[in-house]
Amino acid sequence: MRQLFKDYEVRQYVVQVIFSVTFAFSCTMFELIIFEILGVLNSSSRYFHWKMNLCVILLILVFMVPFYIGYFIVSNIRLLHKRRLIFSCVLWLTFMYFFWKLGDPFPILSPKHGILSIEQLISRVGVIGVTLMALLSGFGAVNCPYTYMSYFLRNVTDTDILALERRLLQTMDMIISKKKRMAVARRTMFQKGEVHNKPSGFWGMIKSVTTSAPGSENLTLIQQEVDALEELSRQLFLETADLYATKERIEYSKTFKGKYFNFLGYFFSIYCVWKIFMATINIVFDRVGKTDPVTRGIEITVNYLGIQFDVKFWSQHISFILVGIIIVTSIRGLLITLTKFFYAISSSKSSNVIVLLLAQIMGMYFVSSVLLIRMSMPLEYRTIITEVLGELQFNFYHRWFDVIFLVSALSSILFLYLAHKQAPEKHMTP
């Protein structure tokens, strides 16, 4: 908490408690998944903790966090400060209306359950969270190989950097020269104004405004030139900083650690292509896997090699490792993303609202992770999770994830392609 918000102190105790409780119960859900695979605790005890955990986190995500977000938004508006409680309730009711209408376009409603049942709440939270996960996954699957692979690094030499720095220095000299000319012209005009008697009265003031002094038009033109040159200097400075950063990445890619990340980049490139292909297949043929990937992969390997192998035993251990990796990387990746997001947009006045928004996003993200991780677990370990989550349309969430992932990945490819084509050194003359 302190590391995440070290630059903007969050003094509201209730905000700290809500964020910490949301993070704690989100991690507890992942811990319960590990307990399901390892068989820790009795099944009745695990079921109770699952039920309690989901009830608490849904209470926080649907009722507490939205209300306090509205409360702190209203508190920052002076006109509404005296009646902030009433307006906070109005904002919360507005959120509940749109949150409930969210279920209308999607096949997630079930008439068997009550209005405030776990199924009704988690189905809507799942739609938002799965959408967020798919957007982040689609961008990450494309951006990761683009960032790590040395193949996409632009060719930057010391000559390119020196040429750009020379242009920047020339532009700065031109700006200084023109500002000196403006200062000399203003001093000359001021001295002439002291020699000649200035007209007094109302008509004299009108005449001084409508009649331009000698050299005033030149000052206007010079000021326009200075503004254009200052904008050019800013662009050149940013391009120079980008070239230095690219050169550092080139030097880093030659180290052992850089080569390791380069290898990871090729691996993730293959994964990205495979994931996009499988998402397209799933969407076109309306297909959802019935067997978890680990068990399916072991069965294919055993049948292909024709060896004796305890599929059930090894699928349990490999699933445990796979789910653990997914959990650790999900928590780490989300916290890194939230930290960057917070640093980018937060301020001393908006920090409470931003922290609560991050808590909302984090809770929905982790609840949706449980919905999707369920498919990565062998069938015998899904029983309690399925019972707790209720009669949800799990297939819908996987199809929805594939659709949003495909859109996000293709959009990211297009964006990074255009950004790569607009590289600074592409426009530099040799």
Side-chain angles (χ1 to χ4, degrees):
M1 182 79 178
R2 293 179 180 176
Q3 177 65 26
L4 184 61
F5 313 125
K6 60 183 178 180
D7 292 337
Y8 302 101
E9 184 178 357
V10 181
R11 299 181 180 178
Q12 292 293 334
Y13 183 73
V14 66
V15 176
Q16 299 179 17
V17 170
I18 289 176
F19 185 89
S20 301
V21 171
T22 305
F23 181 74
F25 276 88
S26 300
C27 293
T28 303
M29 286 192 299
F30 288 145
E31 185 180 3
L32 289 173
I33 292 177
I34 301 298
F35 284 1
E36 290 294 328
I37 297 176
L38 296 180
V40 178
L41 302 177
N42 295 328
S43 58
S44 58
S45 178
R46 295 199 303 270
Y47 180 84
F48 168 77
H49 285 92
W50 268 112
K51 202 80 172 179
M52 182 191 69
N53 200 87
L54 283 175
C55 288
V56 172
I57 199 166
L58 288 175
L59 176 67
I60 294 173
L61 295 178
V62 179
F63 297 97
M64 292 185 63
V65 175
F67 174 79
Y68 277 106
I69 288 175
Y71 178 81
F72 285 111
I73 289 176
V74 174
S75 298
N76 291 330
I77 303 175
R78 294 183 178 179
L79 297 176
L80 307 177
H81 193 269
K82 294 182 179 180
R83 298 182 178 179
R84 54 188 173 183
L85 188 61
I86 297 175
F87 285 102
S88 301
C89 294
V90 172
L91 289 178
W92 178 78
L93 291 175
T94 304
F95 164 79
M96 287 299 297
Y97 172 77
F98 287 105
F99 177 75
W100 211 256
K101 296 295 289 184
L102 180 67
D104 292 347
F106 301 103
I108 58 177
L109 296 177
S110 176
K112 299 180 181 179
H113 305 286
I115 296 178
L116 297 179
S117 63
I118 289 182
E119 290 81 5
Q120 295 284 2
L121 296 178
I122 203 171
S123 59
R124 290 162 173 79
V125 171
V127 171
I128 302 174
V130 168
T131 303
L132 176 64
M133 286 186 63
L135 289 173
L136 294 177
S137 299
F139 176 76
V142 176
N143 185 61
C144 184
Y146 179 79
T147 304
Y148 288 162
M149 291 177 62
S150 58
Y151 174 79
F152 294 105
L153 290 177
R154 303 187 297 268
N155 186 20
V156 177
T157 61
D158 293 334
T159 305
D160 298 330
I161 297 176
L162 290 175
L164 201 58
E165 287 180 340
R166 192 179 300 111
R167 288 182 57 190
L168 178 60
L169 291 176
Q170 290 174 354
T171 305
M172 298 300 295
D173 290 338
M174 292 174 65
I175 293 173
I176 295 173
S177 174
K178 290 182 180 296
K179 285 189 174 182
K180 285 182 178 179
R181 287 175 54 191
M182 291 176 62
V184 171
R186 286 196 179 99
R187 186 180 64 180
T188 304
M189 292 171 60
F190 180 75
Q191 291 174 350
K192 289 181 179 179
E194 289 181 342
V195 174
H196 301 288
N197 293 325
K198 293 184 178 180
S200 60
F202 177 76
W203 294 108
M205 183 174 60
I206 296 295
K207 184 179 179 181
S208 63
V209 173
T210 55
T211 305
S212 59
S216 61
E217 184 178 357
N218 292 335
L219 281 180
T220 304
L221 294 175
I222 294 174
Q223 182 61 49
Q224 293 177 355
E225 294 176 359
V226 169
D227 293 339
L229 288 173
E230 287 179 344
E231 180 63 27
L232 176 61
S233 66
R234 284 191 288 269
Q235 295 296 326
L236 290 174
F237 177 79
L238 293 176
E239 291 178 6
T240 304
D242 183 71
L243 289 185
Y244 271 110
T246 304
K247 184 182 177 183
E248 290 180 0
R249 287 182 58 193
I250 292 174
E251 297 297 328
Y252 177 77
S253 65
K254 297 177 182 179
T255 63
F256 176 78
K257 191 174 181 180
K259 293 179 181 179
Y260 167 73
F261 280 108
N262 184 46
F263 171 77
L264 285 182
Y266 283 102
F267 173 78
F268 282 114
S269 298
I270 298 173
Y271 169 78
C272 177
V273 174
W274 175 82
K275 189 66 177 177
I276 292 176
F277 174 76
M278 293 304 299
T280 306
I281 295 297
N282 293 337
I283 294 170
V284 172
F285 295 100
D286 194 17
R287 192 189 66 159
V288 176
K290 302 296 182 182
T291 308
D292 67 285
V294 174
T295 303
R296 183 61 178 165
I298 294 177
E299 288 177 351
I300 293 175
T301 304
V302 170
N303 293 331
Y304 179 77
L305 298 178
I307 59 177
Q308 296 295 326
F309 199 78
D310 191 346
V311 177
K312 182 178 180 180
F313 174 80
W314 285 105
S315 65
Q316 173 183 352
H317 290 76
I318 297 177
S319 295
F320 169 73
I321 297 173
L322 177 63
V323 171
I325 293 174
I326 294 174
I327 290 172
V328 172
T329 54
S330 296
I331 294 175
R332 180 181 179 274
L334 182 65
L335 289 179
I336 291 175
T337 304
L338 294 183
T339 304
K340 293 179 180 179
F341 181 77
F342 182 82
Y343 288 162
I345 69 172
S346 183
S347 64
S348 57
K349 291 184 178 181
S350 64
S351 58
N352 291 320
V353 177
I354 299 300
V355 170
L356 291 174
L357 283 174
L358 298 184
Q360 183 82 359
I361 293 172
M362 178 177 62
M364 291 184 172
Y365 182 94
F366 287 146
V367 170
S368 304
S369 298
V370 175
L371 294 176
L372 298 179
I373 289 176
R374 171 187 168 275
M375 185 60 69
S376 300
M377 301 170 62
L379 189 60
E380 59 269 22
Y381 303 126
R382 306 180 194 172
T383 306
I384 293 180
I385 299 178
T386 305
E387 291 179 2
V388 172
L389 296 177
E391 298 178 3
L392 296 180
Q393 300 294 329
F394 294 103
N395 292 344
F396 159 75
Y397 292 104
H398 288 278
R399 285 195 296 269
W400 182 249
F401 180 88
D402 289 334
V403 171
I404 303 300
F405 175 87
L406 185 62
V407 172
S408 176
L410 295 179
S411 301
S412 300
I413 291 174
L414 178 61
F415 172 78
L416 292 177
Y417 172 77
L418 294 177
H420 189 74
K421 294 292 287 185
Q422 295 296 324
E425 70 273 18
K426 297 287 184 180
H427 306 287
M428 292 190 304
T429 56

